[in-house]
């Protein structure tokens, strides 16, 4: 495990610094929809490779039309496409949304299952989505959701040394204390969208710079 004080210092600083910053789209939907696992699942499916504002607007339009797996499973794929456009890969995502809702109705009695093993059987759902549903929808303290931001920043900080997000998830279980696991996604995604950007991270304005090894960072601002 990394020095626990180091992780604690970074996480506490981030917790303070992200106050007032724009939340990631799925977190916003989670807050506004009383942590409904179904809406978190669908919003996360829509969010892949899509700007936050676009995800949020598309999810809102879709949930206005259908709020439950049963009602959403009855929509035509074409209508879902229209509702979620312009999220990226909207045609694929519309098919996944429909198939996912049908499976929830047929196999899980219209409810979102609460285990990793069951969640990843749903069409279009991988570990990232399943982890976020478990954390936000079921209040799990035993999962880490790793997306591209979490993967990038964990490596820059030197908490892990990995090539793929899947490896990062497993490495973070080993290198951080479990009390931080449910918060890692919120803190690092918010930081990644505002400060530790993929290209030209704002190291000069970064509150955790003294604790960051900046591994792999070549071009930065500040
Ligand atoms: S110091 Fe730079 S690389 Fe490190 S977290 Fe901050 S912005 Fe990212």
């Amino acid at each position: 495990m990394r020095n626990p004080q180091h992780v604690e210092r970074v996480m506490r600083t981030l917790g303070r610094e992200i106050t007032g910053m724009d939340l990631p789209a799925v977190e916003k939907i989670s807050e506004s929809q009383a942590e409904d696992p179904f809406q978190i699942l669908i919003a996360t499916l829509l969010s892949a490779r899509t700007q936050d504002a676009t995800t949020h607007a598309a999810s809102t339009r879709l949930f206005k039309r259908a709020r439950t797996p049963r009602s959403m499973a009855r929509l035509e794929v074409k209508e879902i496409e229209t509702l979620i456009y312009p999220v990226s890969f909207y045609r694929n995502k519309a098919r996944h949304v429909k198939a996912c809702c049908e499976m929830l109705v047929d196999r899980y009695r219209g409810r979102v299952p609460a285990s990793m093993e069951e969640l990843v059987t749903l069409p279009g759902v991988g570990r990232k989505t399943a982890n976020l549903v478990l954390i936000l929808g079921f209040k799990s303290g035993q999962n880490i959701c790793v997306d591209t931001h979490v993967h990038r920043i964990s490596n820059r900080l030197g908490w892990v040394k990995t090539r793929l997000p899947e490896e990062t998830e497993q490495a973070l279980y080993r290198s951080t204390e479990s009390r931080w696991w449910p918060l890692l996604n919120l803190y690092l995604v918010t930081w990644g969208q505002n400060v530790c950007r993929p290209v030209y991270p704002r190291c000069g304005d970064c509150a955790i710079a003294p604790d960051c090894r900046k591994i792999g960072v070549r071009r930065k601002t500040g």
Side-chain angles (χ1 to χ4, degrees), residues 153 156-157 191 195-197 201-204 206-210 212-215 217 220:
I153 301 175
R156 285 177 173 173
L157 282 164
W191 207 242
V195 183
C196 191
R197 301 173 302 207
R202 295 168 47 205
C203 298
C206 180
I208 55 173
C212 182
R213 293 167 67 191
K214 304 178 190 66
I215 291 169
V217 176
K220 53 185 189 260

Side-chain angles (χ1 to χ4, degrees), residues 21 31 39 62 69 77 81 86 88 97 104 107 117 124 145-147 155 162 167 170 182 186 191 199 211:
M21 285 182 178
E31 271 193 358
Q39 298 201 13
L62 183 58
V77 171
E81 283 180 10
S88 52
V97 165
L104 288 176
R107 192 181 289 182
E117 294 68 32
C145 174
V146 175
D147 75 340
N155 273 283
T162 51
E167 297 165 3
Q170 299 310 320
L186 170 63
W191 207 242
V199 239
D211 281 307

Side-chain angles (χ1 to χ4, degrees), residues 38 68-74 97-113 118 121-123:
F38 174 62
T68 65
R70 268 175 224 291
S71 55
M72 209 172 278
R74 283 197 290 267
V97 165
K98 171 127 176 131
C100 194
C101 291
E102 286 173 343
M103 192 183 276
L104 288 176
V105 172
D106 294 343
R107 192 181 289 182
Y108 298 108
R109 293 197 223 136
R111 299 181 73 86
V112 176
E118 292 171 310
T121 65
L122 296 168

